[in-house]
Amino acid sequence: IDKLALLGKAPQYIQADARNLQELQAAYEHIKRIYPTIHGIIHSAVGAFDQSLGTVSEADFRSILSVKIDLSVRIAQVFEKEALDFVLFFSSDASFVRGAGMSGYSAGCSFKDAFALQLAKLWPCVVKVINWGYWSAGTGETMSERMKTYLYGMGYRPIDMEEGMKALHAFLASDFNQMSISRIVQPAFRNFCSNDEWITSYIDDSEKTRIQLDLSDIEDLSLSSKFENLDNKADKEMEDLLCLLLRDI
């Protein structure tokens, strides 16, 4: 906190078990007394992993899941009526791969992803999910050497802080609601991605215009003659529907 204070105003640190409804509610009320307006929420809790199903206890497995599942639900319960600008869920590529020793963590991340997508349908604010790869800092530093070796063998390389934050800023400014950000080397790259498939997002601040088509005479078309080239592959009802849809553009 002292180091962050050198960059500007010192952040407030409030400790609570966010899996517990009463504790998170109390933390929320404390925050509201200091800052009447809450602009956003970031769920970045990680929890433990690196245990196989054969060795992990039921209590530990429940604890791993709870960090993802219970905390996600508590956020929705406590902040439901808050006029937020955004909610950001930090998830993991573990949602998409079968990582050894990460069953509870993977299950929790999969739940978080699905929960966030559903929350985006219910809340008016922006709700986004970022599925991180392997970081060089934070949790990445605390991983066992066995886990690091495993991830290295899969083709993952650690994301450093500068490139990770740059990618995060680009994601937040984009129109995408979910994105995976990882460092992966060849030849493992082709196991995760397709070299010939790309998505480019352009930010267009200009006024959006609507193309107006003159289809005023659509009702005068002779449908049967205009669709002769389909050789009866499209039935009459679908042809009528297509013309109505085009007329309303």
Side-chain angles (χ1 to χ4, degrees):
I1 292 178
D2 292 337
K3 290 182 179 180
L4 291 173
L6 297 175
L7 304 176
K9 188 175 181 179
Q12 294 279 339
Y13 179 77
I14 302 171
Q15 186 174 356
D17 183 355
R19 299 171 298 177
N20 182 285
L21 179 59
Q22 288 72 32
E23 288 198 34
L24 184 58
Q25 181 67 39
Y28 165 74
E29 293 172 359
H30 180 76
I31 293 170
K32 289 289 286 184
R33 288 193 293 269
I34 303 172
Y35 303 103
T37 301
I38 298 176
H39 296 283
I41 302 170
I42 300 176
H43 179 345
S44 62
V46 177
F49 43 83
D50 193 20
Q51 293 188 66
S52 69
L53 281 176
T55 59
V56 66
S57 67
E58 182 176 341
D60 286 344
F61 189 81
R62 286 180 177 273
S63 177
I64 295 168
L65 285 177
S66 180
V67 171
K68 300 294 185 182
I69 296 176
D70 292 350
L71 206 159
S72 297
V73 174
R74 299 297 175 248
I75 287 175
Q77 291 174 322
V78 173
F79 295 89
E80 180 181 9
K81 297 180 180 179
E82 194 69 30
L84 300 168
D85 296 329
F86 73 95
V87 181
L88 176 61
F89 288 86
F90 279 8
S91 188
S92 167
D93 278 354
S95 297
F96 312 126
V97 297
R98 292 179 292 180
M102 302 176 70
S103 56
Y105 180 72
S106 298
C109 287
S110 297
F111 172 88
K112 181 191 277 191
D113 294 359
F115 186 84
L117 294 176
Q118 180 62 25
L119 198 64
K121 299 177 182 179
L122 302 176
W123 283 14
C125 66
V126 173
V127 181
K128 296 195 173 197
V129 179
I130 183 166
N131 297 88
W132 290 111
Y134 161 39
W135 276 72
S136 62
T139 305
E141 289 184 330
T142 64
M143 286 182 179
S144 67
E145 289 303 316
R146 185 182 67 171
M147 178 60 69
K148 290 179 181 179
T149 301
Y150 170 76
L151 292 174
Y152 193 91
M154 289 183 66
Y156 279 105
R157 297 297 181 268
I159 302 169
D160 64 45
M161 289 183 285
E162 183 177 352
E163 65 184 356
M165 295 309 298
K166 183 178 179 180
L168 176 59
H169 290 160
F171 170 60
L172 290 175
S174 74
D175 293 328
F176 298 113
N177 293 326
Q178 184 171 7
M179 182 178 291
S180 169
I181 298 178
S182 308
R183 287 185 68 191
I184 304 172
V185 298
Q186 294 281 12
F189 180 83
R190 57 175 169 264
N191 296 326
F192 298 92
C193 310
S194 176
N195 284 326
D196 57 356
E197 294 182 4
W198 298 88
I199 296 177
T200 303
S201 176
Y202 295 97
I203 299 177
D204 183 8
D205 295 328
S206 62
E207 182 178 354
K208 293 181 174 61
T209 59
R210 185 187 179 105
I211 299 176
Q212 298 295 330
L213 302 178
D214 183 10
L215 299 174
S216 58
D217 60 343
I218 192 72
E219 294 181 353
D220 297 330
L221 294 177
S222 174
L223 297 178
S224 58
S225 63
K226 297 301 179 183
F227 289 93
E228 286 179 355
N229 62 320
L230 295 179
D231 194 25
N232 296 323
K233 291 182 180 179
D235 60 61
K236 181 67 167 57
E237 292 181 353
M238 293 302 295
E239 295 168 3
D240 290 340
L241 178 59
L242 176 61
C243 289
L244 290 173
L245 290 172
L246 291 174
R247 184 182 62 185
D248 293 335
I249 292 178

